[in-house]
Amino acid sequence: MAPVWAAERLTVRIGPIERSIQVSHLEKFVETGKLSDDLELFEPLLGETLREALGSRLDIDPNIADTIFDDLLATPAGDRLLKALMLALPENTVEEIKAALKLAIESVNGLSLIGIFKAFPAENLTVDLTGAIAVATRLNTPYWETQILSSLLKKELTVETSDILPNFDPAAVGSFSPQQQTLSFVDRDRQRAIAVDIYWGTQTLLLERNRPPANDYPLVVMSHGFGSDRTFLTYLARHLASHGITVVSLEHPGSNREWLTNLPTTINPSQLLPANELIDRPLDVTFLLNELEKLNQNQRGANSAQPLPAFNTNKVVAIGHSLGGYTVLALAGAEINFEDLQKYCQRRQVVGRAPADWLQCAPVAEKLPKGPKKRNLGDRRVVGAIGLNPVIGQIFGEKGLKEVNTPTLLLAGTNDPWTPAVTHQLRPFLDLPQPKYLVTAIDGTHYSATDPDSPNPIKNDSIFENEISETESASERQLVRGITLAFIQQQTSEAKTYKPFLSATYAQSLSTDGLPLRLNTEIPSRLALWLKNREEVIGNIP
């Protein structure tokens, strides 16, 4: 669709200065980087970053654009986009901006800022350049892509079932009393100090019937995200401990909250992570498991105020959030391809990247990390991996995820600007071997599955004011408690009892109007085809 006539000229305003420019000249600047005479005044502002931003676009199937437009504007993200466009287009009404946005979304050329300008049925359009720059340079393409598709995902991932769930609640507190203790280990070879919180359950008078022997339960290891710490899943650690499962939550010294706090305020995004951090994180877990084996042999931890539990290091389920999600997949056998990652990061434009894309590209921004160009950091002791809002993107290349040799469970949130679901969970999920599970929280955010009391490294960042309240996200954490316990129990003699909770029926039973929840073992064919085609198109962009 196209308006009867489109804006051919823009009256560009910056402060008290106004100049008239041709839209075609702006398009030429995007294509070639060359400035026409009417753009020379704005040369100090029209740098490479803005050029990339103006050229960034979202490819949306015109056949579904009309059905998702109203759903998009009903979301908090859609509301923020509309308000930002109102700042960039100060002389237009809300209804006029909505109409232009709708036409731009339905365009076969994809949604772009210039496309929105051209969708106005007027010969001339006034644009506030400061507002337009703010919209363009903050465009997080994968995030908006997921937002636009959110209502479609809600429908596509819904499974019609008639299953009946067992008459007990895996999200309820178990019959063991949770205990906690903190230890610290030092890897002298790599000069890394690893602090850990250990959680386990002591027996009470209300013992569970028919429970497996203690050595049948896997050990759970938790890996936090970038800028976080080992308290990120305290609620889940205590829940598992109440069911007799031992949990060890560790801290990665090269990417924890202390590391983030000590970074210079003017640091380049490509320097967020040390070059070897993608390698060191999985090695932190392997080192920790070796140390726990030594504790088992000594019966009691050094400097322990009370006896520690036995650690079943031969059977480990690894759980990670964000960058910790990457960590546990690497431990499960996913092969890192640094050479492919470096090529991807060098050819992809800077604008349109999500924060997770900056993280995955940081270690290869200038040179490849030490060692082979491909690395498999899998640990044979890991028998299952759960990634909550994991950073995946291009870290494992085209084939690395196919090397995973354990059951996996991924959780995605459609309102997550940090690790957008389309590029960091949905598309990678297609490459994982069975058995695998995909949990999708429609309108879930990056931190809605983590502990509400754990420090949020970006909670005061005005760019990403999209986190939902503790009350609104309660159902997602309830689901995480239930499915995590059920997933772990698949490694015990109680696997059959807990299997029904790894189902669409269970996830959808906990859905709310504000936070629909879905669980799938396969992505529906129509959606899977779009995800594959999208990657092929993106991969051909220079």
Side-chain angles (χ1 to χ4, degrees):
M1 295 182 64
V4 176
W5 67 89
E8 297 179 354
R9 300 191 67 84
L10 300 177
T11 297
V12 179
R13 177 188 301 165
I14 180 167
I17 302 174
E18 287 188 358
R19 287 291 187 276
S20 179
I21 67 172
Q22 291 188 31
V23 174
S24 60
H25 290 174
L26 194 60
E27 290 179 301
K28 185 177 181 180
F29 163 68
V30 170
E31 293 174 3
T32 66
K34 296 180 179 180
L35 296 172
S36 58
D37 292 343
D38 56 356
L39 289 175
E40 286 184 350
L41 176 68
F42 305 108
E43 183 176 5
L45 297 173
L46 297 177
E48 189 62 24
T49 297
L50 182 59
R51 178 189 167 199
E52 291 182 355
L54 291 171
S56 181
R57 69 176 190 176
L58 297 177
D59 292 308
I60 303 166
D61 186 346
N63 295 319
I64 65 171
D66 184 60
T67 62
I68 65 178
F69 176 75
D70 291 336
D71 291 331
L72 170 64
L73 291 188
T75 66
D79 182 62
R80 288 194 297 274
L81 175 61
L82 188 60
K83 289 178 179 177
L85 288 172
M86 290 170 64
L87 292 176
L89 304 165
E91 294 188 0
N92 293 91
T93 66
V94 174
E95 293 307 316
E96 287 172 338
I97 293 174
K98 284 183 178 180
L101 182 59
K102 188 172 189 293
L103 284 172
I105 286 178
E106 294 173 346
S107 169
V108 294
N109 295 319
L111 176 63
S112 67
L113 191 56
I114 292 180
I116 294 173
F117 293 160
K118 294 177 68 175
F120 280 87
E123 294 181 1
N124 188 76
L125 182 68
T126 298
V127 176
D128 183 281
L129 188 58
T130 303
I133 291 174
V135 174
T137 56
R138 293 183 181 186
L139 184 64
N140 178 338
T141 306
Y143 169 61
W144 283 109
E145 195 169 46
T146 306
Q147 282 294 292
I148 290 172
L149 292 172
S150 184
S151 61
L152 179 66
L153 291 173
K154 179 180 177 181
K155 297 170 186 174
E156 287 282 318
L157 299 177
T158 300
V159 177
E160 298 295 332
T161 67
S162 57
D163 298 338
I164 299 176
L165 296 173
N167 61 353
F168 69 95
D169 181 6
V173 176
S175 59
F176 285 71
S177 177
Q179 307 296 313
Q180 180 180 347
Q181 188 166 324
T182 300
L183 294 178
S184 183
F185 303 91
V186 177
D187 186 338
R188 301 190 185 283
D189 292 337
R190 295 182 302 134
Q191 297 183 334
R192 286 170 76 90
I194 312 295
V196 301
D197 287 338
I198 302 171
Y199 303 83
W200 72 98
T202 57
Q203 294 182 345
T204 66
L205 295 177
L206 300 174
L207 292 179
E208 298 178 35
R209 295 180 179 178
N210 301 320
R211 111 180 227 96
N215 60 5
D216 190 35
Y217 278 86
L219 171 69
V220 171
V221 174
M222 292 181 168
S223 170
H224 64 77
F226 174 74
S228 186
D229 61 29
R230 62 187 185 275
T231 67
F232 76 110
L233 283 180
T234 298
Y235 81 95
L236 181 59
R238 294 185 64 82
H239 174 68
L240 297 177
S242 78
H243 286 270
I245 296 169
T246 299
V247 179
V248 180
S249 184
L250 79 158
E251 204 151 315
H252 301 282
S255 49
N256 60 358
R257 188 156 62 101
E258 182 179 356
W259 168 269
L260 179 63
T261 302
N262 292 330
L263 283 177
T265 56
T266 58
I267 191 171
N268 186 298
S270 65
Q271 299 173 314
L272 286 172
L273 283 181
N276 258 48
E277 187 65 9
L278 292 183
I279 296 173
D280 278 325
R281 278 178 146 260
L283 291 181
D284 287 344
V285 177
T286 293
F287 164 77
L288 174 62
L289 294 179
N290 293 339
E291 293 299 303
L292 294 178
E293 286 183 357
K294 295 177 184 177
L295 285 184
N296 281 340
Q297 295 171 3
N298 295 332
Q299 298 294 320
R300 185 184 294 264
N303 301 319
S304 293
Q306 57 182 313
L308 290 169
F311 300 102
N312 189 357
T313 55
N314 292 318
K315 189 159 62 172
V316 178
V317 172
I319 303 175
H321 173 251
S322 195
L323 193 58
Y326 147 76
T327 306
V328 303
L329 287 170
L331 288 163
E335 185 176 74
I336 311 172
N337 191 322
F338 284 114
E339 189 172 31
D340 283 356
L341 178 60
Q342 186 180 49
K343 291 177 181 178
Y344 166 83
C345 295
Q346 288 175 342
R347 77 171 185 264
R348 293 294 293 130
Q349 62 184 25
V350 173
V351 175
R353 285 184 183 176
D357 297 327
W358 284 109
L359 278 183
Q360 71 173 347
C361 289
V364 296
E366 298 179 1
K367 59 182 179 179
L368 294 175
K370 299 176 183 178
K373 296 175 181 178
K374 291 184 179 181
R375 293 292 295 269
N376 192 312
L377 300 168
D379 192 306
R380 60 172 179 76
R381 294 167 291 189
V382 174
V383 297
I386 297 177
L388 308 176
N389 305 88
V391 174
I392 300 177
Q394 301 293 322
I395 295 177
F396 301 113
E398 295 182 2
K399 300 179 180 179
L401 286 171
K402 300 182 187 299
E403 301 300 316
V404 170
N405 52 26
T406 74
T408 53
L409 186 151
L410 302 185
L411 180 143
T414 64
N415 196 17
D416 178 357
W418 295 89
T419 58
V422 166
T423 51
H424 285 271
Q425 292 100 44
L426 299 182
R427 178 58 187 91
F429 184 78
L430 295 176
D431 294 332
L432 287 169
Q434 293 284 1
K436 59 182 177 179
Y437 307 90
L438 173 68
V439 177
T440 307
I442 310 298
D443 290 334
T445 62
H446 192 62
Y447 293 96
S448 54
T450 61
D451 197 294
D453 296 327
S454 180
N456 182 334
I458 50 82
K459 67 179 179 181
N460 295 321
D461 194 326
S462 60
I463 299 177
F464 297 106
E465 291 177 342
N466 70 326
E467 287 302 317
I468 56 181
S469 70
E470 179 179 347
T471 300
E472 293 171 315
S473 58
S475 59
E476 184 175 352
R477 288 190 299 280
Q478 182 180 358
L479 177 61
V480 169
R481 291 196 302 271
I483 60 171
T484 299
L485 181 60
F487 183 88
I488 294 169
Q489 293 285 20
Q490 298 313 297
Q491 300 293 332
T492 76
S493 57
E494 292 189 290
K496 186 175 181 180
T497 302
Y498 281 85
K499 184 68 173 179
F501 295 105
L502 286 172
S503 68
T505 300
Y506 179 57
Q508 291 171 194
S509 73
L510 296 178
S511 290
T512 64
D513 291 339
L515 195 62
L517 301 169
R518 301 290 183 263
L519 188 149
N520 301 81
T521 56
E522 292 285 357
I523 291 181
S525 57
R526 184 172 72 147
L527 180 58
L529 181 62
W530 177 83
L531 289 168
K532 291 178 180 178
N533 289 340
R534 174 200 176 280
E535 187 171 75
E536 291 177 3
V537 171
I538 296 297
N540 290 325
I541 295 176

